[in-house]
Amino acid sequence: MTGHWEFTYQDNVILENIKKFKGEFLAQNIKVKDEAIFEGVPVFDEDSGHAFKPYTIKNVGGVKMAIIGQSFPYTPIANPKRFIPNWTFGINDAELQTLVNEIRENEKPPVVVLLSHNGMDVDIKMASKVTGIDAIMGGHTHDGVPKPMVIRNSGGKTLVTNAGSNGKFLAVLDFKVK
C-alpha cells in the first residue's frame, strides 16, 4: 500500500501503525529532511533519504514485477505540517524516472507498476513524462475509471487507471507478458 490519510496522525504514530501493518508500505516520494536525519529521525535509507521503502519486487504468476509506491504528494497542504515536520512530499517526476531506470537496469523486471495516490489528473501527466512504467494504478480520484487510459510518452506508453475512493471499486489489471 501507499499513503494518504495515514498522515493525519503524527509521524511517530504513523511509524507505529506501519509496523503493525501486515503488508508493505511503499512511498518513493517521501523523504526525511537532511537536518532531521542528523537529529536521528528514523529513515528507511540514509543515503537516498527515503522515509519508507520506495518499491518492492514481487513474483506474480511466475513473472517478476516491480511495484513502486507514490503517496499523496500534497500531504503537507492537506494535513497540518506539524504532524509530519521531518518529511518532504512531492510528485518528484525526475526522481521517479531515476528510480524506474535503476529498477529496470538492476532488477530487470518485465513489468513495472506505480501504485499511486496522486489522483487521475496527476497520474496522466506523470505517465506522459516518466518512461518505463507499464501501468499506474491509482486511487485518489473519487470516480472509478473502468478501463485504463493509454498514455504515450517518449519511451512508449503507460496504462493509467484509478479505482476510485473509499473501497468503492477493486482495480484488476491483467498483464500478458511476452
Side-chain angles (χ1 to χ4, degrees):
M1 79 173 266
T2 196
H4 177 44
W5 289 113
E6 293 73 20
F7 301 109
T8 58
Y9 298 104
Q10 293 182 336
D11 52 6
N12 60 330
V13 174
I14 297 163
L15 293 172
E16 286 301 315
N17 287 342
I18 290 172
K19 282 181 190 173
K20 295 174 189 173
F21 177 55
K22 292 180 174 42
E24 287 185 274
F25 185 88
L26 307 172
Q28 72 83 28
N29 63 321
I30 303 174
K31 300 282 184 91
V32 178
K33 295 177 182 175
D34 288 340
E35 60 273 11
I37 292 173
F38 291 121
E39 293 171 4
V41 169
V43 60
F44 173 77
D45 181 344
E46 197 170 300
D47 292 333
S48 69
H50 284 112
F52 303 98
K53 186 177 182 179
Y55 73 95
T56 190
I57 300 292
K58 298 286 184 186
N59 185 315
V60 180
V63 175
K64 189 176 189 181
M65 179 182 289
I67 303 167
I68 304 169
Q70 175 81 9
S71 285
F72 185 59
Y74 305 114
T75 294
I77 297 166
N79 298 317
K81 285 183 188 180
R82 69 183 182 278
F83 291 172
I84 46 169
N86 299 312
W87 297 335
T88 64
F89 294 74
I91 296 170
N92 303 344
D93 287 339
E95 290 180 22
L96 176 59
Q97 183 65 70
T98 299
L99 180 62
V100 170
N101 294 347
E102 289 172 2
I103 291 169
R104 287 275 186 196
E105 184 178 323
N106 300 329
E107 304 281 357
K108 303 195 184 335
V111 178
V112 175
V113 173
L114 182 72
L115 178 63
S116 169
H117 206 96
N118 286 332
M120 190 68 179
D121 291 342
V122 176
D123 286 341
I124 291 169
K125 180 75 171 184
M126 182 175 276
S128 74
K129 295 170 73 175
V130 179
T131 63
I133 298 173
D134 296 296
I136 298 176
M137 298 184 75
H140 179 75
T141 303
H142 285 228
D143 296 323
V145 178
K147 293 173 85 174
M149 295 180 67
V150 178
I151 307 300
R152 298 194 182 283
N153 57 47
S154 64
K157 51 191 165 184
T158 301
L159 302 175
V160 179
T161 189
N162 199 290
S165 67
N166 306 312
K168 287 188 271 190
F169 305 103
L170 173 66
V172 176
L173 191 56
D174 295 322
F175 292 91
K176 290 183 182 178
V177 180
K178 298 179 183 179

